Amino acid sequence: MTHRAVLVAITLIIAACHHPSKQAGRSGPTPLQLELPGWAIADTSLRLDFPYDNPLTVEGAALGRLLFHEKALSADGSLSCASCHLHRFAFADSARFSPGMKGMRTARNTMPLMNLAWDHFFFWDARALSLELQAFEPVTAHREMASRWSEVCARLAQDKRYPPLFAAAFGDDRIDSLRVAFALAQFERTMVSLDSRFDRYFYLKQRDALRPQEIRGKDLFFTRAHCVDCHEPPLFKGHHVLNIGLDSAHTDLGMGGRTGLPWHAGRFKTASLRNIAVTAPYMHDGRFATLEEVVDFYADDVFTASPTLDEHMLPWRKGEVRLSMQDRMDLVAFLRTLTDSAFLADPLFGPPE
Ligand code: HEC
Ligand code: HEC
């Protein structure tokens, strides 16, 4: 077997031909196992724990895939989730702010979607506490799809494809917002990306998978550049929402805008660095066009006097993070090794035929 993260098609075909669960006197959707590479199965930080009321199933994920590409979710039928979350950019968008309904643009940079099965909160300001809750928002958000749930559900019910798919995924053909959100969340949980050149070097011990400059960059990342303090492997993100000192005055308060608490000002979700080479522009407001600009920020421009600067930024406050021009190039070279080209081209995530 290859080290591809998710291989679901085979189970789908077998289930469709034989209905094994039905023969055994049990009806209902077929449980779907995410197939992780061997090293990831051994990593206890990657244990998967799905919500008990929305287990991952073949039929649920397949429905979610169709819904993710469904323009009927938007008010005028012009946008699907995939209009802003583009597969080839790890489901991010190359625009700083994505075009939504009626010429409006999103207020923040579109986030990439991968490895969300392991996250505990969603959005740049961490306002949704599950993927199920997250999925409710874009459909009705006025800058995004600007729909009403009652209309969306009526539209799906009139489309001959959907009632049988809802029945297969959830037991009967009722279509409601909760089921749409559940199916979308299931599909998103199948988006696993753990097969980059870094993984082959680090976990599979393929010593020729990285070049010398990339190895120097990796060593910096893990030591005196302090990147690893927040962007922790294997996912290269952290389960924190924090202020890295981007601004002296916040135009977007991030988590603080939601909670109203002054010490939350400027806090944002710690983004994953996997596939980072394809998710430009960077940061919650897409202010940096290139990885070089991001690294220059960490080297030169961290606003260390920010009263809400996170404690993980102490090395910056103490002036200990010094990066030469060569260091910066090496770091960028390393970041580019986190690209998982198989994930970016995996036909399982494209629009269903
Ligand atoms: C008009 C563009 C647009 C559309 C359409 C859109 N999104 Fe998003 N998505 C965004 C933006 C922008 C963010 C970040 C918003 C924020 O943090 O305030 C985001 C964030 C997310 C996140 C959070 C990821 C994380 O790491 O926390 C998920 C999950 C997501 N979107 C899924 C979806 C789904 C599912 C749909 C379809 C129902 C969808 N999006 C439709 C632009 C869009
Ligand atoms: C204190 C924790 C912390 C440290 C240390 C840190 N980061 Fe970050 N990083 C974050 C957070 C939080 C964000 C999102 C900030 C935002 O958008 O406002 C982020 C965003 C990024 C992004 C943009 C991600 C995207 O999808 O837009 C890159 C690239 C990045 N960091 C690279 C690095 C590198 C390289 C280092 C080491 C020099 C580093 N980070 C050190 C917390 C940290």
Side-chain angles (χ1 to χ4, degrees):
M1 200 190 76
T2 65
H3 294 291
R4 284 300 306 117
V6 208
L7 297 166
V8 288
I10 303 159
T11 18
L12 184 69
I13 295 160
I14 296 171
C17 302
H18 297 296
H19 292 293
S21 54
K22 299 214 169 75
Q23 276 171 10
R26 200 174 59 89
S27 63
T30 322
L32 171 59
Q33 295 285 332
L34 284 186
E35 280 198 35
L36 307 180
W39 65 262
I41 295 170
D43 187 326
T44 51
S45 76
L46 292 181
R47 268 216 327 260
L48 279 163
D49 209 3
F50 298 123
Y52 73 91
D53 55 351
N54 190 25
L56 190 59
T57 66
V58 173
E59 293 81 356
L63 172 61
R65 177 180 176 186
L66 193 59
L67 290 168
F68 189 84
H69 295 91
E70 179 55 80
K71 292 187 171 165
L73 297 192
S74 64
D76 64 1
S78 67
L79 284 181
S80 70
C81 310
S83 308
C84 295
H85 296 282
L86 286 91
H87 185 186
R88 66 181 181 285
F89 303 137
F91 297 103
D93 191 354
S94 56
R96 187 168 177 193
F97 302 109
S98 306
M101 214 39 61
K102 296 196 191 115
M104 273 189 279
R105 296 227 162 215
T106 57
R108 293 185 179 135
N109 185 232
T110 296
M111 303 173 88
L113 307 180
M114 69 201 142
N115 302 336
L116 295 176
W118 290 285
D119 277 16
H120 308 304
F121 44 77
F122 304 89
F123 288 123
W124 283 111
D125 57 4
R127 66 185 177 277
L129 294 183
S130 72
L131 262 181
E132 282 77 2
L133 289 171
Q134 190 286 326
F136 277 113
E137 225 180 272
V139 176
T140 53
H142 71 289
R143 284 170 181 273
E144 297 187 14
M145 300 170 126
S147 279
R148 268 202 290 255
W149 273 113
S150 53
E151 283 164 19
V152 169
C153 295
R155 257 181 252 146
L156 296 178
Q158 278 156 19
D159 182 327
K160 282 196 188 57
R161 293 171 302 164
Y162 281 105
L165 293 175
F166 275 83
F170 298 111
D172 62 64
D173 64 7
R174 183 164 48 85
I175 296 180
D176 62 26
S177 56
L178 197 65
R179 286 182 171 182
V180 172
F182 273 32
L184 284 168
Q186 287 190 43
F187 173 57
E188 290 173 296
R189 289 196 176 99
T190 67
M191 296 171 176
V192 174
S193 175
L194 293 170
D195 185 17
S196 65
R197 284 202 287 122
F198 164 80
D199 297 304
R200 274 171 248 153
Y201 176 87
F202 194 76
Y203 296 108
L204 304 180
K205 311 289 177 212
Q206 292 175 12
R207 290 302 170 209
D208 56 353
L210 295 192
R211 291 184 280 268
Q213 180 182 27
E214 296 161 345
I215 297 173
R216 281 199 307 276
K218 171 193 73 71
D219 292 341
L220 276 169
F221 185 95
F222 281 91
T223 57
R224 64 186 173 81
H226 287 279
C227 314
V228 73
D229 299 3
C230 300
H231 302 280
E232 301 161 41
L235 299 177
F236 287 90
K237 60 180 153 197
H239 299 297
H240 334 276
V241 191
L242 40 81
N243 173 12
I244 54 173
L246 281 169
D247 295 304
S248 52
H250 305 291
T251 43
D252 181 341
L253 289 171
M255 190 178 177
R258 178 168 62 80
T259 63
L261 300 171
W263 59 90
H264 287 167
R267 287 206 202 177
F268 292 91
K269 178 171 171 173
T270 308
S272 172
L273 302 184
R274 284 190 175 271
N275 296 304
I276 195 73
V278 302
T279 68
Y282 302 106
M283 303 297 172
H284 65 274
D285 54 4
R287 66 177 65 190
F288 299 128
T290 62
L291 285 173
E292 285 77 5
E293 285 179 32
V294 174
V295 171
D296 283 343
F297 154 75
Y298 281 108
D300 301 325
D301 295 328
V302 174
F303 183 67
T304 52
S306 175
T308 60
L309 189 74
D310 190 76
E311 58 185 19
H312 291 87
M313 295 299 285
L314 194 64
W316 276 266
R317 198 165 251 169
K318 287 162 76 181
E320 288 171 3
V321 183
R322 290 193 207 95
L323 300 169
S324 68
M325 290 303 150
Q326 187 64 51
D327 291 343
R328 298 177 199 197
M329 288 190 283
D330 296 350
L331 266 177
V332 171
F334 166 65
L335 292 173
R336 294 188 187 285
T337 70
L338 292 168
T339 303
D340 177 347
S341 354
F343 172 74
L344 300 176
D346 191 331
L348 285 177
F349 301 127
E353 285 86 48

